[in-house]
Amino acid sequence: MTKAMTGAKMVVQALKDQGVEVVFGYPGGAVLPIYDEIFQQSDIRHVLVRHEQGAVHAAEGYARSTGKPGVVLVTSGPGATNAVTGITDALMDSIPMVVLTGQVPTFMIGSDGFQEADTVGITRPCTKHNWLVKDTGSLSATIHEAFHVATAGRPGPVLVDIPKDVQFASAKYQPQAEAKTARYQPKVQGDTEMITRLVEAIETAERPVFYTGGGVINSGPVASQLLRELVDATGIPITSTLMGLGAYPASGRNWLGMLGMHGLYEANLAMHGCDLMINVGARFDDRITGRIDAFSPRSAKAHIDIDPSSINKVVHTDMPIIGDVGNVLGEMLELWKARGRKVNREGLQRWWAEIEDWKKTECLSFKPSEKVIRPQHAMARLEALTKGRDRYICTEVGQHQMWAAQYLGFEDPNRWMTSGGLGTMGYGFPASIGVQVAHPDALVINVAGEASWLMNMQEMGTAIQYRLPVKQFILNNERLGMVRQWQELLHGERYSHSWSEALPDFVKLAEAFGAKGIKVDDPADLDDAIAEMIAHDGPVILDCLVEKHENCFPMIPSGEPHNKMLLGEASTQDAIKEGGAVLV
């Protein structure tokens, strides 16, 4: 028989029952009863951030690196509204998260009370689901349901808004087993007939390609293992979105690299020229597709996704398969083996010969400078000096994010944390804190631009307080790099407000927080600076001054198809046509 307890105690008990180990939050008047209960227990760790947006991004980093839902606790009004950017980011990138917000007492709702906001109304468009709990008796069951919704099907953020009087009142606690989860049961098994059609297409395709996304990683480690087995057994080339990096190893023999706007030449041309595209857990984002009517124009398209709303939303697919990626890949692999492990070997051989010819372009090649650090060089050295370590990489958003994706290799899933769909500047630093909390002994590096990093620099206080040795690797070009690049290429070199001014001394800033600061501007000193950053046992800011006007290539100009790429090293006017590179 369950006993009566206050709503605040219910919250903590429900979190314990869900296996929650850490909560990221910031207290305020409307959640003080919950914080009082947190104070009186020791099973759940609370990490005090410096801003509610930081709490949500930290929970995202925790969730992305562990596969477990992140948990956030913030107060009403500005506490909740400050969290909206992070919640939207989590929705776009399918990150499982439970956000608990305080609310004014039920009898004050609608009165414009102090620190009141319509949290449920504000967050309805940016959550999978949200609840305003007006009855203490339903609070524990609602929290259990929230965890189910956040993690079942396509993962995402949910929010539970809890008025203060509900936290004080008492009622019987409902255990997890009594939660109403039956009303949300997404389809997880794929249609066998459609899977059979896809296997038949794999057996005959001459130019197939796997196009994989974050859904493979969200499905869990089994999905990544099945993907690797299927790709290696069939010999089909594989590429990935920004969010899918690590599902297939960067050292794998069938790996083409990332595709999309700043993807690799061979990956984009393979997507453009394939006759069978197998989309596994990706959503046909516009940064991947380019111009829709010219996207992979001659291919039959299969799409495996657990979210029915993603099927045929952007690109029409010939073989839609709704189900959990791991389940579908398992059935595909089993069926393909049972049918005799057949592929079109002659066609694949010709296809690989074409791809190998494209690889000769060496689209990521660059010439290091002896006078100034080129950002590509910085990323290449970071990769060389950290490869093989127990390493997690986060990024902010901008050019540095794309260079990190291009030059850093990921052998395993859940090692790469970045803001893909929303493109949130300020994401990486707090995300790295969440990753370090989850993996205290690992090397956690946030690759940043100076402008993005400044947006949540206050979280250095969190890193210091909790002795989290996160490494902030800032590619400092004193510019809003991606904005400046677009202005150069697309807006007649009119650099409207894209040059950073009044930047801080990052070394002094680090020292002011009690962290270590390092500055490097000479290519000859770069390796030593990276080694010093890695060796230090506390938080570090490495201010790496790089070439100010370097552009990030390859690049598909906005609205262009995959076979029209700018390569850039020789000229920003290198255009990629059907068969190869042509200087125009």
Side-chain angles (χ1 to χ4, degrees):
M1 181 177 178
T2 57
K3 62 179 181 178
M5 60 180 71
T6 65
K9 194 172 186 67
M10 280 185 186
V11 171
V12 175
Q13 187 61 50
L15 296 181
K16 290 180 181 179
D17 289 353
Q18 289 290 338
V20 174
E21 298 173 342
V22 62
V23 172
F24 301 91
Y26 200 97
V31 285
L32 285 185
I34 300 173
Y35 270 89
D36 192 47
E37 291 295 336
I38 288 175
F39 183 83
Q40 299 180 60
Q41 58 82 52
S42 57
D43 295 326
I44 297 174
R45 182 183 182 190
H46 180 278
V47 175
L48 175 66
V49 296
R50 274 40 181 179
H51 190 282
E52 290 87 355
Q53 182 184 351
V56 184
H57 292 326
E60 286 188 275
Y62 179 92
R64 185 71 174 175
S65 66
T66 64
K68 303 174 184 177
V71 180
V72 176
L73 175 60
V74 296
T75 195
S76 63
T81 58
N82 280 344
V84 167
T85 296
I87 295 171
T88 309
D89 188 273
L91 183 74
M92 294 285 281
D93 286 344
S94 305
I95 307 300
M97 183 185 306
V98 176
V99 181
L100 306 174
T101 56
Q103 184 54 274
V104 299
T106 54
F107 56 84
M108 289 182 61
I109 292 176
S111 69
D112 293 332
F114 177 66
Q115 290 193 332
E116 180 186 2
D118 179 10
T119 301
V120 167
I122 290 168
T123 61
R124 185 171 289 117
C126 60
T127 54
K128 277 187 74 176
H129 195 61
N130 60 18
W131 297 261
L132 171 61
V133 182
K134 294 184 177 181
D135 174 24
T136 306
S138 63
L139 177 57
S140 55
T142 300
I143 293 174
H144 292 313
E145 185 179 5
F147 274 88
H148 171 72
V149 173
T151 55
R154 179 180 177 178
V158 298
L159 183 143
V160 183
D161 200 28
I162 313 171
K164 193 168 185 178
D165 57 333
V166 171
Q167 299 171 40
F168 278 123
S170 295
K172 286 187 177 181
Y173 178 81
Q174 293 178 273
Q176 184 177 353
E178 297 179 12
K180 297 177 181 178
T181 58
R183 52 189 167 186
Y184 180 62
Q185 294 294 336
K187 182 182 179 183
V188 295
Q189 298 296 333
D191 179 74
T192 300
E193 183 178 344
M194 195 62 72
I195 293 174
T196 304
R197 279 187 56 191
L198 176 53
V199 169
E200 290 172 349
I202 288 173
E203 292 172 343
T204 59
E206 295 184 3
R207 300 184 307 280
V209 67
F210 279 101
Y211 152 38
T212 57
V216 181
I217 295 171
N218 287 338
S219 180
V222 172
S224 293
Q225 288 299 326
L226 289 169
L227 175 70
R228 294 169 185 220
E229 185 178 350
L230 183 60
V231 169
D232 290 341
T234 59
I236 294 174
I238 179 171
T239 181
S240 168
T241 67
L242 181 73
M243 297 302 295
L245 296 176
Y248 184 84
S251 62
R253 58 189 174 91
N254 295 337
W255 179 238
L256 301 183
M258 183 179 71
L259 82 159
M261 178 172 281
H262 291 285
L264 272 63
Y265 175 54
E266 52 266 31
N268 282 330
L269 285 192
M271 182 64 80
H272 186 79
C274 68
D275 66 354
L276 173 63
M277 176 202 302
I278 308 166
N279 178 331
V280 187
R283 59 185 178 86
F284 291 111
D285 176 72
D286 62 282
R287 286 297 190 268
I288 296 298
T289 62
R291 203 175 80 219
I292 293 293
D293 63 356
F295 174 65
S296 194
R298 294 178 294 276
S299 67
K301 299 174 179 65
H303 188 184
I304 304 168
D305 205 297
I306 199 166
D307 181 7
S309 70
S310 291
I311 302 291
N312 293 328
K313 180 171 68 175
V314 177
V315 171
H316 174 76
T317 51
D318 306 285
M319 289 165 275
I321 302 172
I322 300 170
D324 177 80
V325 164
N327 292 339
V328 174
L329 288 176
E331 189 171 347
M332 278 179 62
L333 187 59
E334 185 177 339
L335 184 60
W336 179 76
K337 289 178 178 178
R339 289 171 59 93
R341 300 172 178 259
K342 292 179 287 186
V343 292
N344 186 333
R345 301 198 181 281
E346 291 184 1
L348 271 175
Q349 190 173 4
R350 291 191 298 269
W351 181 224
W352 271 112
E354 193 170 5
I355 290 171
E356 292 300 327
D357 193 49
W358 292 332
K359 285 184 178 182
K360 294 175 183 177
T361 302
E362 297 182 342
C363 65
L364 295 183
S365 64
F366 65 92
K367 184 178 180 181
S369 168
E370 295 182 356
K371 297 180 179 179
V372 64
I373 299 172
R374 299 188 67 181
Q376 303 95 320
H377 183 208
M379 286 297 94
R381 295 315 302 157
L382 183 67
E383 167 70 1
L385 294 172
T386 63
K387 186 176 182 179
R389 289 175 174 264
D390 182 15
R391 181 190 75 177
Y392 293 82
I393 299 291
C394 301
T395 78
E396 304 290 347
V397 169
Q399 287 178 315
H400 61 274
Q401 177 189 28
M402 296 297 105
W403 281 314
Q406 291 172 342
Y407 290 94
L408 301 180
F410 298 94
E411 298 300 306
D412 299 297
N414 305 105
R415 297 283 178 156
W416 164 250
M417 275 56 64
T418 195
S419 174
L422 195 62
T424 305
M425 294 175 70
Y427 164 91
F429 186 12
S432 71
I433 286 174
V435 175
Q436 193 78 77
V437 167
H439 308 279
D441 298 324
L443 174 62
V444 181
I445 302 171
N446 176 41
V447 177
E450 80 289 342
S452 276
W453 193 85
L454 287 171
M455 286 197 169
N456 274 316
M457 71 174 190
Q458 74 283 343
E459 298 307 327
M460 184 57 77
T462 307
I464 292 294
Q465 178 178 343
Y466 295 97
R467 296 179 175 86
L468 302 170
V470 289
K471 316 303 183 188
Q472 307 303 308
F473 192 95
I474 299 176
L475 296 180
N476 186 352
N477 58 11
E478 300 178 1
R479 304 288 186 271
L480 308 185
M482 193 63 83
V483 173
R484 186 212 57 76
Q485 176 170 333
W486 281 50
Q487 288 173 337
E488 175 187 332
L489 299 178
L490 305 174
H491 297 277
E493 300 185 33
R494 293 181 292 277
Y495 301 117
S496 178
H497 300 280
S498 59
W499 290 27
S500 299
E501 297 185 14
L503 288 171
D505 182 324
F506 285 103
V507 173
K508 290 182 179 178
L509 181 63
E511 292 170 349
F513 274 105
K516 182 178 183 61
I518 304 170
K519 182 177 180 178
V520 61
D521 59 5
D522 188 333
D525 299 329
L526 179 60
D527 279 17
D528 288 343
I530 294 174
E532 185 180 2
M533 176 189 75
I534 296 169
H536 186 65
D537 61 359
V540 177
I541 298 176
L542 174 52
D543 183 16
C544 182
L545 274 63
V546 298
E547 166 59 48
K548 292 178 172 56
H549 293 152
E550 192 79 45
N551 286 331
C552 183
F553 294 111
M555 176 183 177
I556 302 175
S558 184
E560 294 291 346
H562 284 77
N563 64 328
K564 291 188 177 180
M565 296 179 68
L566 302 178
L567 283 186
E569 185 75 346
S571 166
T572 58
Q573 298 301 312
D574 287 351
I576 304 307
K577 302 298 183 183
E578 287 284 351
V582 180
L583 185 65
V584 297

